[in-house]
Amino acid sequence: MQTSLFPTKAAKVTQTAGIDRKGNPIDTFSHGENRAIDICPTDGKFYAPFNMTCKYHQRENGYNGAKVAIMSVFVSDEVVATPTGNSRVTLVCMHGGDCGPYVGCKYRQGEHFYTQGDDGGLDANNRPLVMPIHIHMDVRKGSNFESMDLTPTIQNYYLAGDLPVEDIFYNNSTVLTWGSGSDCVPFTLKTAGSQQEGWIQEGTIWYFYKNGVKVKGWMSEGGAWYYLDYTTGAMKTGWAADGSKWYYLNPANGHMVTGWFWDAGNAAWYYLNPNNGGAMQTYWLTDGGKKYYLGSDGKMFKDRRERIDGVWYTFDNSGVATLG
């Protein structure tokens, strides 16, 4: 699997994202609705961050008569490793120079694929819009560009569902410098060899990283089972459901509990069946040759007499059932 690499070795970033990770606007003059950046590579060129194919290309006449590569969209050919998980990636580049790509053109990782240029458009008064030469870049996970609503991309120059560039690209021995002003907020690129590994606490929540990627779902580690949220990867504690089954994860360390368990908060005994993946037992249970009954909520019957399926049973203080 290829690693997604930043598309230049050296560059000046002149404008960064217009919204932060929480969706709050950042003071910026043209990126207020997206996470795109403007960048000026030292040699004026972008190099393919992974093997990819051009899926869309829009060319228009620039005000100086040249053919200007207004917008080109590329999709990785395969799933690639990013700092936030393995995925295919969609990349859009805009304002390129005259040597733009074409639909169907393939590029190998490290191959020159885009050259910076000026905007080549017109302002509100129909006058030439001359901007500093740069490349406008935006990225997102996924490869479904053809089925996306292209309106934001074509009209506003960004990809719906875009992510910060540092969530998509690893450091490519890149040296970045930064423009001045509140519209250019420096960011840090992770290096592929220094990604997070193992248990990492972020605030009050624990996550487990493997090869720099958050593990999600059930995980066996160090002789214990853990339940990591399927969406966020956050380690679950206490009672947690997976489908129609309930489990209990030790609040102190996240370990899945099995066997008999006293829940002080509910003042009840439960049985977390090790023969059923640790799921909470309901209804009849035979353990050590003795019969017990646990209600639909998992609570063990004790100190009571109940009629079950037309038969009377007495449950002693230990929960053991006898007829009558």
Side-chain angles (χ1 to χ4, degrees):
M1 180 186 301
Q2 289 186 323
T3 297
S4 177
L5 299 175
F6 200 73
T8 179
K9 295 283 189 179
K12 181 176 182 179
V13 179
T14 57
Q15 189 182 180
T16 48
I19 51 177
D20 65 18
R21 290 179 177 275
K22 295 181 179 179
N24 299 316
I26 298 173
D27 183 14
T28 179
F29 64 85
S30 67
H31 292 177
E33 75 280 19
N34 58 64
R35 293 184 169 90
I37 70 169
D38 288 347
I39 185 168
C40 302
T42 300
D43 64 357
K45 299 178 181 180
F46 262 8
Y47 300 89
F50 32 66
N51 294 347
M52 63 186 193
T53 301
C54 180
K55 295 292 187 178
Y56 183 88
H57 183 57
Q58 177 193 62
R59 293 178 72 89
E60 294 181 3
N61 287 321
Y63 70 86
N64 57 0
K67 285 286 187 179
V68 178
I70 296 295
M71 180 171 67
S72 301
V73 180
F74 309 86
V75 176
S76 65
D77 293 338
E78 305 289 343
V79 170
V80 296
T82 80
T84 54
N86 301 333
S87 175
R88 292 184 71 184
V89 171
T90 297
L91 163 68
V92 61
C93 295
M94 303 171 189
H95 311 330
D98 192 43
C99 58
Y102 56 88
V103 174
C105 187
K106 290 185 173 293
Y107 297 92
R108 307 292 295 176
Q109 186 178 52
E111 184 179 358
H112 169 223
F113 74 96
Y114 207 79
T115 302
Q116 65 185 3
D118 56 41
D119 184 87
L122 301 175
D123 65 15
N125 297 314
N126 208 37
R127 293 176 302 191
L129 179 62
V130 182
M131 298 180 67
I133 292 176
H134 68 282
I135 297 173
H136 174 101
M137 175 176 69
D138 201 21
V139 285
R140 73 186 297 272
K141 286 186 176 180
S143 58
N144 59 328
F145 174 77
E146 291 88 344
S147 62
M148 289 173 56
D149 176 7
L150 303 186
T151 303
T153 310
I154 295 173
Q155 294 185 353
N156 299 314
Y157 289 2
Y158 76 97
L159 293 164
D162 57 0
L163 291 173
V165 294
E166 63 267 33
D167 285 0
I168 298 294
F169 300 118
Y170 280 111
N171 196 313
N172 189 17
S173 300
T174 302
V175 177
L176 296 178
T177 57
W178 310 93
S180 60
S182 59
D183 58 348
C184 190
V185 181
F187 54 83
T188 300
L189 296 170
K190 294 180 181 178
T191 57
S194 62
Q195 64 260 41
Q196 294 174 308
E197 285 293 317
W199 288 109
I200 302 293
Q201 187 176 24
E202 300 177 14
T204 60
I205 301 174
W206 284 93
Y207 301 88
F208 191 89
Y209 285 81
K210 186 175 183 179
N211 297 325
V213 179
K214 287 179 180 176
V215 177
K216 299 175 182 179
W218 287 99
M219 177 190 75
S220 177
E221 171 69 21
W225 280 95
Y226 300 85
Y227 184 17
L228 308 170
D229 187 272
Y230 284 109
T231 302
T232 66
M235 185 187 78
K236 291 181 178 288
T237 59
W239 288 106
D242 185 9
S244 61
K245 297 180 179 180
W246 282 90
Y247 302 84
Y248 191 82
L249 297 311
N250 190 327
N253 53 27
H255 294 183
M256 183 183 73
V257 177
T258 59
W260 287 105
F261 164 67
W262 171 254
D263 186 344
N266 291 327
W269 282 98
Y270 297 83
Y271 188 76
L272 304 165
N273 198 332
N275 295 319
N276 189 25
M280 183 186 76
Q281 178 75 30
T282 56
Y283 309 121
W284 285 110
L285 167 71
T286 299
D287 183 40
K290 299 176 181 180
K291 294 192 70 173
Y292 302 84
Y293 192 84
L294 305 105
S296 60
D297 58 1
K299 294 180 180 179
M300 185 192 76
F301 283 19
K302 72 184 189 73
D303 295 325
R304 59 198 285 186
R305 187 169 180 260
E306 291 286 344
R307 188 177 183 179
I308 301 172
D309 297 330
V311 179
W312 284 98
Y313 296 89
T314 298
F315 299 89
D316 67 16
N317 184 256
S318 299
V320 176
T322 55
L323 288 170

